[in-house]
Amino acid sequence: MLRRSFLVWAGASAALAAGSVAGFQRWREVTPRVHYPGRDEGHFLRDRNALPPPSHTIETGVAIFGSGIAGLSAAWKLNKLGVHEMLMIDGPQPYGNAAGGAFGDLAYPTGAHYLPLPSPESVHVREMLADLGIIEKDAYAEQPTYDERYILHAPEERLLKDGHWQEGFIPTEGVPEWERAQHSRFFAEVARLRQTHGSDGRRVFVFPTVLSSQDPQWQALDQITLKQWLAQNGYTAPTLHWYLNYCCRDDYGTSYDKVSAWAGLHYYCSRWGQAANAGNGAWLTWPGGLQPLASGLERASGIQRKAGTVVSLKETAHGIEALCFTLENGQPRSYLVRARKAICAMPLYVAARVVENIAAYGFDPARHSPAYAPWLVANFLLKRFPQELPDQPLSWDNVVYRDASEASAPGLGYVVSTHQDIRVQPPEKTVFSAYVALSDRDPLSARKWLLAATPQELLALASADLHTAYGSDFASCVERVDITLRGHAMAAPLPNFRSNAGVRALREHEGRVLFAHADLSGFSVFEEAAWWGCRAAQLAASGMLAA
């Protein structure tokens, strides 16, 4: 792993030195600030360190543990249902994978950065967006009207291949006709599958996934990988394989030879939302990624939040009791939370350590815990825009093509945070957000490497695609760099993830302890997290209001 880091850094350094000694010197002066959200709290839980006695006890109606999209959706729904006696314990990072940051007034994402237009089945998402004013009209119509400030505008995406930029992500320029014919055949199949229903009358691929068809014919796709499905259906074009592998890495943090074919096809076949004022399949985005959306849900819910991480949660005769802690200058402080209901809006690998006797709920951590993919997100504050090649203008999402010899390179390209700026004059400064999925190695090795790597090694890995795109000019543009490491960023939908009996048991459980997280669907996307948050809220509210 260290040799790999050295080679990446050496390659970046060589490129800089070849282009500009001054640029190389400038790059050496950049020391990134590195963030490890949840690392200290997670290791505290893992190592079962002793806590001091609780300093106080808090009582509430519904306690929500976790402030990511699932927890915030639960709070928003509870408020809509008339339950206002609730408290949110943030967990290690407020807003979880929807968190963002800022360089002054320039916001940037540290996790998720867009939301596809919700399809008709995603009623819960449409209700949220209407409540927050993002949908302005006809929320439940086939084509709602959205606030145009949040609809991604052109140019949306481009690909750097053979030293030239081209529009879109799937390679087209210089690609043989037979490969382009396979591209067309694949997307025609996607269009067909979007409208296909199983024997139970349900669409095969929808959000939320629990509303997808349970027809065994289609469920069988979960028993093979996406790469195997491509082979079975005669797709051999290297550019199509590259593209589909990139998309799996981008959405699931995992390569297409490991991702379930059901999940790989769901990526394309479930996203067909429309708008009255945007093209089909458009995206919603904000400079700070999904943090503005998370903040909006928090405000709409009116929930009280408290810093802390739950270390143990158990049922009692009258409800639940949870021991929580904070770390202040490395020193733990603890407090108790007592509530009538608890919503565990945390990843399952955390819930497995926190919920007392979670096996009693039907979940065996040794057999049922999903695999988790690690991610790295690096935000580069630029004092000026780098010089662009003449082929295609700077886009919102910018990706570098790697041929077969470089196929394991982990970079996913970079997003421009100021892309939605509608002023005629571009801003003087901007933020480029580079995403890296460490799918070139197994997750455990990747996590170990992330913890051991120096800031300069992380910077070299994060900037590899940017140096390919701009050469030595990029270093001279950089003013600051913030790097966020997410060792357990998302559950990976490996084959047979849809038949996971333990996860299904948590999904279906009703009682004092309720579970709500995208992990219950098997992969990390907004629509799924929001669905489970809303469902848990409805179950909690039914008991509260009935009493």
Side-chain angles (χ1 to χ4, degrees):
M1 295 302 114
L2 292 177
R3 179 177 181 276
R4 165 74 176 167
S5 300
F6 174 77
L7 290 175
V8 172
W9 172 238
S13 300
L16 285 169
S20 168
V21 173
F24 177 56
Q25 291 298 110
R26 172 70 187 95
W27 190 245
R28 291 182 62 186
E29 296 170 5
V30 175
T31 300
R33 187 170 60 175
V34 183
H35 307 273
Y36 304 85
R39 178 191 62 177
D40 294 341
E41 292 84 356
H43 289 180
F44 193 94
L45 283 173
R46 179 196 66 189
D47 300 337
R48 294 292 181 182
N49 291 322
L51 283 173
S55 61
H56 60 287
T57 299
I58 304 171
E59 298 193 358
T60 189
V62 180
I64 302 173
F65 298 99
S67 58
I69 293 301
L72 292 167
S73 299
W76 169 81
K77 191 65 174 179
L78 283 168
N79 184 63
K80 297 275 286 187
L81 294 171
V83 176
H84 308 298
E85 188 187 356
M86 53 181 170
L87 173 69
M88 177 174 286
I89 306 301
D90 278 345
Q93 183 183 34
Y95 302 151
N97 276 357
F103 294 120
D105 59 355
L106 290 176
Y108 57 77
T110 63
H113 60 284
Y114 70 92
L115 176 65
L117 294 184
S119 56
E121 290 88 352
S122 294
V123 174
H124 62 300
V125 177
R126 291 188 176 206
E127 183 183 4
M128 285 179 182
L129 297 181
D131 206 31
L132 299 180
I134 298 165
I135 292 180
E136 297 179 326
K137 183 181 177 183
D138 300 328
Y140 307 110
E142 185 173 334
Q143 296 182 325
T145 299
Y146 290 81
D147 187 327
E148 293 191 358
R149 291 175 298 172
Y150 310 126
I151 298 174
L152 178 62
H153 64 71
E156 297 175 0
E157 55 191 30
R158 62 178 182 168
L159 177 70
L160 182 63
K161 183 177 183 292
D162 299 327
H164 301 283
W165 288 105
Q166 63 157 65
E167 184 179 3
F169 281 166
I170 189 162
T172 54
E173 295 183 12
V175 176
E177 175 59 33
W178 72 269
E179 289 197 46
R180 285 185 277 126
Q182 287 195 14
H183 300 176
S184 298
R185 180 161 70 90
F186 173 77
F187 287 111
E189 178 66 2
V190 167
R192 184 185 74 84
L193 290 175
R194 283 176 176 165
Q195 304 304 322
T196 299
H197 293 68
S199 58
D200 53 7
R202 294 182 175 186
R203 289 186 191 272
V204 175
F205 300 106
V206 298
F207 281 119
T209 55
V210 292
L211 299 185
S212 296
S213 173
Q214 300 298 311
D215 186 331
Q217 172 190 352
W218 299 106
Q219 291 294 92
L221 290 170
D222 187 39
Q223 297 170 16
I224 59 173
T225 67
L226 181 59
K227 185 177 181 179
Q228 289 172 327
W229 180 87
L230 289 170
Q232 290 176 7
N233 288 274
Y235 293 105
T236 58
T239 48
L240 180 63
H241 278 250
W242 175 87
Y243 171 73
L244 297 176
N245 187 40
Y246 169 83
C247 291
C248 284
R249 294 174 55 244
D250 185 55
D251 222 39
Y252 305 133
T254 307
S255 57
Y256 79 142
D257 59 346
K258 297 182 178 67
V259 165
S260 157
W262 192 95
L265 290 169
H266 185 272
Y267 176 96
Y268 301 95
C269 301
S270 60
R271 290 173 168 158
W272 54 284
Q274 302 179 51
N277 55 339
N280 291 349
W283 298 334
L284 303 170
T285 189
W286 296 260
L290 293 189
Q291 177 156 316
L293 191 50
S295 299
L297 288 172
E298 179 194 351
R299 288 192 300 272
S301 73
I303 194 167
Q304 178 187 355
R305 287 173 43 206
K306 182 173 177 60
T309 299
V310 58
V311 67
S312 67
L313 188 155
K314 63 182 181 182
E315 294 194 35
T316 65
H318 304 289
I320 66 95
E321 181 177 279
L323 177 63
C324 304
F325 75 101
T326 58
L327 291 175
E328 301 173 19
N329 298 319
Q331 298 302 309
R333 305 229 189 300
S334 70
Y335 59 90
L336 281 178
V337 175
R338 293 194 177 111
R340 289 166 58 189
K341 298 271 188 178
I343 295 177
C344 293
M346 61 188 76
L348 294 185
Y349 77 94
V350 177
R353 293 180 177 273
V354 165
V355 178
E356 184 177 282
N357 192 21
I358 196 169
Y361 299 87
F363 184 84
D364 178 359
R367 292 188 297 128
H368 299 137
S369 292
Y372 288 88
W375 267 56
L376 179 156
V377 184
N379 285 284
F380 296 81
L381 173 64
L382 306 186
K383 57 189 176 185
R384 63 176 174 82
F385 285 81
Q387 184 67 40
E388 293 289 340
L389 295 170
D391 316 291
Q392 288 287 335
L394 179 64
S395 300
W396 172 66
D397 206 350
N398 309 267
V399 171
V400 175
Y401 181 84
R402 305 289 183 182
D403 61 25
S405 65
E406 304 174 293
S408 63
L412 294 168
Y414 54 97
V415 173
V416 180
S417 72
T418 56
H419 181 78
Q420 293 297 96
D421 195 323
I422 60 175
R423 293 175 295 179
V424 175
Q425 182 68 29
E428 178 183 353
K429 294 186 176 184
T430 188
V431 179
F432 283 8
S433 304
Y435 285 81
V436 177
L438 285 84
S439 52
D440 58 330
R441 60 199 81 182
D442 70 85
L444 180 59
S445 296
R447 282 189 280 273
K448 288 181 177 178
W449 183 84
L450 287 175
L451 288 175
T454 67
Q456 289 296 336
E457 288 173 327
L458 295 169
L459 178 60
L461 186 64
S463 61
D465 283 352
L466 290 156
H467 285 302
T468 300
Y470 300 109
S472 60
D473 184 48
F474 182 71
S476 64
C477 300
V478 177
E479 188 171 320
R480 289 173 55 190
V481 184
D482 272 17
I483 297 178
T484 301
L485 308 181
R486 300 187 180 278
H488 296 78
M490 61 185 75
L494 308 183
N496 300 307
F497 82 101
R498 283 181 58 79
S499 57
N500 187 317
V503 173
R504 183 172 62 250
L506 297 185
R507 285 201 303 258
E508 297 174 352
H509 178 72
E510 300 182 21
R512 293 190 176 103
V513 177
L514 301 163
F515 296 89
H517 195 273
D519 283 4
L520 297 178
S521 296
F523 50 84
S524 178
V525 294
F526 180 97
E527 298 94 326
E528 298 300 309
W531 171 266
W532 295 115
C534 290
R535 179 186 180 277
Q538 289 169 330
L539 292 174
S542 64
M544 299 284 291
L545 297 174

Coordinates of all heavy atoms in Angstrom, one line a residue, residues 6 13 41 53 137 146 191 198 261 272 291 302 356 364 374 384 411 462 495 507-508:
F6 N 3.5 5.9 -2.9 CA 4.7 6.5 -3.4 C 4.7 6.7 -4.9 O 5.0 7.8 -5.4 CB 5.9 5.7 -3.0 CG 7.2 6.2 -3.6 CD1 7.8 7.3 -3.1 CD2 7.8 5.6 -4.7 CE1 9.0 7.8 -3.6 CE2 8.9 6.1 -5.3 CZ 9.5 7.2 -4.7
S13 N 4.4 14.3 -8.8 CA 5.5 15.2 -8.7 C 6.3 15.3 -10.0 O 6.7 16.4 -10.4 CB 6.4 14.7 -7.6 OG 5.8 14.6 -6.4
E41 N -14.8 8.5 17.8 CA -15.9 7.9 18.4 C -16.0 6.4 18.1 O -16.4 5.6 18.9 CB -17.2 8.6 18.1 CG -17.3 10.1 18.6 CD -16.5 11.1 17.7 OE1 -15.9 10.6 16.7 OE2 -16.6 12.3 18.0
P53 N -19.3 8.0 35.0 CA -20.8 8.0 35.3 C -21.5 9.1 34.6 O -21.0 10.2 34.4 CB -20.9 8.1 36.8 CG -19.6 7.7 37.3 CD -18.6 8.1 36.3
K137 N -44.6 23.6 -7.8 CA -45.9 23.3 -8.3 C -46.1 21.9 -8.7 O -45.2 21.3 -9.2 CB -46.2 24.3 -9.5 CG -47.5 24.2 -10.1 CD -47.6 25.2 -11.3 CE -49.0 25.1 -12.0 NZ -49.0 25.9 -13.2
Y146 N -39.9 22.7 -10.6 CA -38.9 22.8 -9.6 C -38.3 24.2 -9.6 O -38.4 24.9 -10.6 CB -37.8 21.8 -9.9 CG -38.1 20.4 -9.6 CD1 -38.8 19.6 -10.6 CD2 -37.8 19.8 -8.4 CE1 -39.2 18.3 -10.3 CE2 -38.1 18.4 -8.2 CZ -38.8 17.7 -9.1 OH -39.2 16.4 -8.9
A191 N -34.1 1.5 -21.2 CA -35.4 2.2 -21.4 C -36.5 1.1 -21.3 O -37.6 1.4 -20.8 CB -35.4 2.8 -22.8
G198 N -43.0 -6.8 -13.1 CA -42.9 -8.2 -12.8 C -44.3 -8.9 -12.7 O -45.3 -8.2 -12.9
A261 N -25.8 -7.5 -10.0 CA -26.4 -7.1 -11.2 C -27.7 -6.3 -11.0 O -28.0 -5.4 -11.7 CB -26.6 -8.3 -12.2
W272 N -35.8 8.0 -13.5 CA -36.4 8.6 -14.7 C -37.4 9.7 -14.4 O -38.4 9.9 -15.0 CB -37.1 7.5 -15.5 CG -38.1 6.6 -14.7 CD1 -37.8 5.7 -13.8 CD2 -39.5 6.8 -14.7 NE1 -39.0 5.2 -13.2 CE2 -40.0 5.8 -13.7 CE3 -40.4 7.5 -15.4 CZ2 -41.4 5.7 -13.5 CZ3 -41.8 7.4 -15.1 CH2 -42.3 6.5 -14.2
Q291 N -25.9 19.2 2.0 CA -26.1 19.8 3.3 C -27.2 20.8 3.3 O -28.0 20.9 4.3 CB -24.8 20.4 3.8 CG -25.0 21.1 5.1 CD -23.7 21.3 5.9 OE1 -22.9 20.3 6.0 NE2 -23.5 22.5 6.4
G302 N -38.1 21.2 13.3 CA -38.1 21.9 14.6 C -37.5 21.1 15.7 O -37.7 21.4 16.9
E356 N -28.4 -3.3 22.5 CA -28.2 -4.4 23.4 C -28.9 -5.6 22.8 O -30.1 -5.6 22.4 CB -28.8 -4.1 24.7 CG -28.6 -5.2 25.8 CD -29.1 -4.8 27.1 OE1 -28.3 -4.0 27.8 OE2 -30.2 -5.2 27.5
D364 N -27.9 -11.0 13.0 CA -26.7 -11.5 13.5 C -25.5 -10.8 12.8 O -25.3 -11.0 11.6 CB -26.6 -13.0 13.2 CG -25.3 -13.7 13.6 OD1 -24.4 -13.0 14.2 OD2 -25.1 -14.9 13.4
P374 N -14.9 2.4 1.5 CA -14.4 3.6 1.9 C -14.3 4.6 0.8 O -14.2 4.3 -0.3 CB -13.0 3.2 2.4 CG -12.6 2.0 1.6 CD -13.9 1.3 1.2
R384 N -7.8 30.9 -8.6 CA -8.2 31.2 -10.0 C -8.6 29.9 -10.7 O -8.2 28.8 -10.2 CB -7.1 32.0 -10.7 CG -5.9 31.2 -10.9 CD -4.8 31.9 -11.7 NE -3.6 31.2 -11.8 CZ -3.3 30.2 -12.6 NH1 -4.2 29.7 -13.5 NH2 -2.1 29.6 -12.6
G411 N -9.5 7.3 -8.8 CA -10.2 8.6 -8.9 C -11.5 8.5 -9.6 O -11.7 7.7 -10.6
A462 N -5.7 12.2 -4.1 CA -6.8 13.0 -4.4 C -6.7 13.9 -5.6 O -7.7 14.2 -6.3 CB -7.2 13.8 -3.2
P495 N -23.6 -9.3 -4.5 CA -24.7 -10.3 -4.8 C -25.3 -10.9 -3.5 O -24.7 -11.2 -2.5 CB -23.9 -11.4 -5.6 CG -22.8 -10.6 -6.3 CD -22.4 -9.5 -5.2
R507 N -35.8 -4.2 9.1 CA -36.7 -3.4 8.3 C -38.2 -3.6 8.8 O -38.9 -2.7 8.9 CB -36.7 -3.8 6.8 CG -35.5 -3.3 6.0 CD -35.8 -3.3 4.5 NE -36.2 -4.6 4.0 CZ -35.4 -5.4 3.3 NH1 -34.1 -5.1 3.1 NH2 -35.9 -6.6 2.8
E508 N -38.5 -4.9 9.1 CA -39.9 -5.2 9.4 C -40.2 -5.1 10.9 O -41.3 -5.2 11.3 CB -40.2 -6.6 9.0 CG -40.1 -6.8 7.5 CD -40.2 -8.2 7.0 OE1 -40.2 -9.1 7.9 OE2 -40.3 -8.5 5.8

